Amino acid sequence: MNNAVRPVVECVTGDITRQTDVEAVVNAANAELQTGGGVAGAIHRAAGPGLARECRPLAPIRPGEAVISGGHELPNDWVIHCLGPVYGVDEPADKRLADCYRNALLLAEKKGISSLAFPAISTGAFGYPPADAAAVCARTLKEIMPELSRVSLIRFVLFDASAREILESALAKAGLTE
Ligand code: AR6
């Protein structure tokens, strides 16, 4: 383990585009890295058209992959775009979802990003059952934590209280929060 101080892990209810105090936000992207519904739509609307322009040469990405761009008009310096698995299609779904969290965190670490906020990747349009996705997220976070020395805040932003409770309980079960 090379991280003397473990990153703070927290869950909040809110909008991923309104996280003014983190350096990076994670996008639940589509393969083309263009606007869409849900998180991707909200991020591209808030970031402005420069985000889609910057992303064009980075696409397409594969399920589990993560790439990074600037934040444009978002209050964040960076956007880390992850393509989650479509549940029941991109198999094994748990591995692909774990890859998203792992690759996003390793990319943040590599870039020296100290704080980032994630949405609940794949649990909207891509249909991943929230409790199963939360278990994968917590397990992956626990595995990757020892490899992080620069990331000091990992926030999860859930759209509603019930989604937040599901993730909070998975993180607590994994011993990652109080
Ligand atoms: N802030 C935080 N969470 C949100 C927000 C927001 N602004 N908007 C939605 N959520 P989704 P996916 C929640 O569908 O399942 C897009 O069309 C939402 O309630 O954004 O990975 C892309 O173009 C859900 O719990 O991501 C892709 O094609 C979670 O965020 C596809 O959807 C993820 O929902 C990606 O699907």
Side-chain angles (χ1 to χ4, degrees):
M1 188 182 291
N2 57 17
N3 191 2
V5 184
R6 208 166 86 156
V8 171
V9 179
E10 62 183 24
C11 293
V12 302
T13 309
D15 183 331
I16 194 78
T17 66
R18 300 284 163 86
Q19 307 303 308
T20 55
D21 58 342
V22 293
E23 284 176 49
V25 287
V26 177
N27 184 12
N30 46 64
E32 298 307 321
L33 303 176
Q34 296 300 305
T35 191
V39 168
I43 284 185
H44 278 270
R45 273 195 303 279
L51 180 63
R53 264 199 305 275
E54 184 186 351
C55 285
R56 210 158 285 135
L58 305 175
I61 62 168
R62 295 179 310 278
E65 200 177 344
V67 295
I68 191 162
S69 72
H72 296 263
E73 292 167 40
L74 280 163
N76 320 96
D77 294 336
W78 306 99
V79 180
I80 298 176
H81 307 261
C82 289
L83 177 60
V86 176
Y87 194 70
V89 175
D90 298 315
E91 298 290 354
D94 57 345
K95 269 192 175 314
R96 296 292 85 82
L97 186 61
D99 289 344
C100 284
Y101 287 106
R102 183 179 308 106
N103 288 330
L105 286 164
L106 291 177
L107 199 45
E109 179 70 19
K110 195 168 129 196
K111 284 273 179 188
I113 291 169
S114 63
S115 54
L116 73 167
F118 282 92
I121 299 168
S122 279
T123 64
F126 285 176
Y128 211 118
D132 295 343
V136 171
C137 172
R139 199 164 62 230
T140 309
L141 212 56
K142 196 170 181 177
E143 279 168 17
I144 198 80
M145 215 85 120
E147 292 179 47
L148 305 177
S149 61
R150 307 208 239 180
V151 174
S152 60
L153 173 67
I154 303 169
R155 177 180 298 159
F156 293 95
V157 182
L158 290 311
F159 230 12
D160 57 50
S162 74
R164 195 193 70 223
E165 281 158 22
I166 288 170
L167 186 59
E168 266 172 353
S169 113
L171 294 170
K173 219 183 261 176
L176 295 169
T177 52
E178 305 288 283

